Amino acid sequence: MKASYEGVRFDAANPKPHVESYFLKANDPKRARAIWIKATIYASARDPGAAIAEAWAIAFSDEKPNVAVKQQIPFSCARFSSDSVDVTLDDDMLRMTSDMSKGAIRTGDRKISWNLTIGGRRESLVHLPASWMYEKKLPSQKYVSPRLDARVSGEVVVDGETWTLDAWPALLGHNWGSKHTPLYLWVHCNSWNNGEDVVFEAVSDRKSVV
């Protein structure tokens, strides 16, 4: 995968309307639990120079209500590498590379914190079939998966409850574009009932499937 596909695509020196996200998701292979951690950039069409960075986390559980948290800061207070997956939001809020993620996010009385290592296979996926599609305006959304079939280990604390992750099947993704897609479908699976060594990922909007 090209380094430019992993590095941040937002140009703060020449801001234009832009949305971008790095995300890590991991699923418990033994029960219906999952964690989703995301760092995003949003530069609105009305004022792209006032871009913000956001830290998100969502814990899905089969026993308790799902917990979602989000905090935002000015983009100028965040650090995004131009040539690799390397993101820092407010130091303690969110840190993410291709090998680890840690942080703590609070919304009201809800809090999710985590300290995770990212292992497993290092295969990546470039979804679009031609390199020019990542440089031109169309398609308006670009997708890559720097770690398509990862395994995540460590701890996640959800409102005081500790989850221990032991090689949970995971994905590290990166997407960007000029605006949010109003209607789309995304699916990824690398955990199967019979333990097959198979990875499936697909993205679809009204006009295309990749």
Side-chain angles (χ1 to χ4, degrees):
M1 179 181 291
K2 290 183 178 180
S4 60
Y5 293 166
E6 292 193 4
V8 68
R9 305 292 288 203
F10 178 61
D11 183 0
N14 183 29
K16 298 178 181 179
H18 188 84
V19 294
E20 187 165 0
S21 71
Y22 291 89
F23 63 93
L24 174 67
K25 70 98 174 174
N27 293 79
D28 188 337
K30 298 179 180 179
R31 50 184 283 200
R33 293 191 304 180
I35 183 71
W36 185 296
I37 299 161
K38 184 164 69 167
T40 67
I41 301 167
Y42 176 61
S44 70
R46 182 173 57 185
D47 189 4
I52 60 172
E54 297 176 313
W56 305 61
I58 307 174
F60 303 90
S61 174
D62 53 354
E63 294 183 344
K64 297 181 179 180
N66 300 333
V67 176
V69 290
K70 182 182 77 168
Q71 290 181 245
Q72 70 179 43
I73 59 174
F75 178 79
S76 59
C77 296
R79 297 193 299 274
F80 290 82
S81 170
S82 62
D83 58 12
S84 64
V85 179
D86 193 347
V87 179
T88 302
L89 273 63
D90 251 13
D91 294 330
D92 295 333
M93 185 184 298
L94 184 148
R95 181 89 170 87
M96 184 183 294
T97 72
S98 60
D99 296 310
M100 57 77 69
S101 183
K102 63 180 179 179
I105 306 172
R106 182 186 297 274
T107 299
D109 60 355
R110 304 185 305 277
K111 181 180 179 181
I112 298 177
S113 61
W114 66 95
N115 190 350
L116 303 170
T117 58
I118 305 172
R121 297 194 296 183
R122 287 191 170 272
E123 283 86 348
S124 61
L125 176 64
V126 176
H127 295 73
L128 301 178
S131 60
W132 67 262
M133 301 175 79
Y134 284 94
E135 307 304 329
K136 303 298 184 180
K137 290 184 178 180
L138 294 176
S140 61
Q141 282 288 319
K142 326 294 186 183
Y143 306 90
V144 295
S145 298
R147 298 290 298 268
L148 180 67
D149 187 25
R151 295 294 183 271
V152 167
S153 299
E155 286 190 348
V156 175
V157 182
V158 182
D159 283 345
E161 178 186 1
T162 299
W163 296 4
T164 300
L165 284 63
D166 182 13
W168 284 18
L171 166 81
L172 179 63
H174 181 204
N175 55 61
W176 66 91
S178 58
K179 59 183 179 180
H180 289 293
T181 303
L183 182 64
Y184 73 97
L185 173 69
W186 173 83
V187 61
H188 171 270
C189 184
N190 59 345
S191 180
W192 307 90
N193 289 338
N194 296 321
E196 292 92 339
D197 188 17
V198 176
V199 183
F200 175 79
E201 184 178 12
V203 181
S204 175
D205 60 24
R206 287 179 174 177
K207 297 181 180 180
S208 63
V209 176
V210 295

